[in-house]
């Protein structure tokens, strides 16, 4: 006796179709870019590039994400849309890399890491 759904019986709906059903004509540009990337590379590719889990990316596309959506937007803009900021230490830097540096805790493991930690605390690009 076979239990559960028949194999390959799930309807295949693209992320673009899901986003269109949820967002309609009001889809933000960064969501549209995330959807295009997820359709092309899959959730695993989006997970690696953006830095959020597959389930989080799926929730974001579906409009049900409960976390900090502004941070997600900035990560997508940096990782997928090549948005940069002017870092006082490193110069032009991807917005997603900037957010990653800001999130790192203090660790005296190298002089570069200490310099970045000090600079990130007073940087005008800092997210509050």
């Amino acid at each position: 006796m076979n239990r559960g759904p028949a194999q390959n019986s799930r309807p295949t709906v693209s992320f673009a179709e899901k986003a269109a059903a949820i967002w309609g004509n009001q889809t933000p540009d960064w969501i549209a870019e995330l959807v295009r990337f997820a359709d092309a590379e899959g959730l695993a590719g989006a997970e690696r590039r953006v830095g959020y889990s597959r389930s989080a990316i799926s929730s974001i596309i579906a409009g049900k994400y409960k976390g900090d959506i502004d941070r997600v937007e900035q990560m997508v803009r940096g990782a997928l849309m090549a948005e940069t900021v002017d870092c006082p230490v490193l110069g032009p830097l991807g917005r997603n890399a900037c957010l990653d540096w800001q999130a790192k805790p203090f660790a005296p493991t190298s002089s570069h890491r200490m310099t970045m930690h000090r600079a990130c605390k007073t940087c005008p690009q800092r997210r509050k």
Side-chain angles (χ1 to χ4, degrees):
M1 169 189 253
N2 289 331
R3 295 194 176 178
Q7 288 184 343
N8 300 323
S9 67
R10 278 190 172 172
T12 55
V13 178
S14 71
F15 292 110
E17 293 169 341
K18 287 181 184 179
I22 301 298
W23 298 92
N25 293 337
Q26 304 295 327
T27 306
D29 62 339
W30 66 274
I31 292 279
E33 187 63 33
L34 181 61
V35 165
R36 276 192 290 278
F37 193 81
D39 275 337
E41 301 290 327
L43 286 176
E47 174 184 33
R48 283 190 297 275
R49 186 68 90 72
V50 177
Y52 280 84
S53 70
R54 296 172 199 182
S55 60
I57 292 171
S58 183
S59 302
I60 293 161
I61 292 171
K64 297 179 180 179
Y65 186 67
K66 302 289 186 203
D68 186 358
I69 199 74
D70 291 331
R71 185 175 192 281
V72 175
E73 177 182 356
Q74 296 302 312
M75 291 293 283
V76 170
R77 288 188 183 280
L80 302 180
M81 301 172 80
E83 186 174 293
T84 61
V85 295
D86 189 30
C87 176
V89 176
L90 300 174
L93 182 66
R95 182 65 177 145
N96 58 321
C98 175
L99 291 172
D100 286 342
W101 273 109
Q102 290 178 33
K104 290 183 182 183
F106 176 76
T109 54
S110 71
S111 61
H112 177 66
R113 178 111 182 234
M114 289 174 56
T115 303
M116 287 299 292
H117 180 76
R118 283 190 208 113
C120 285
K121 285 172 37 176
T122 59
C123 180
Q125 304 297 332
R126 181 152 184 91
R127 259 187 104 245
K128 300 199 176 15

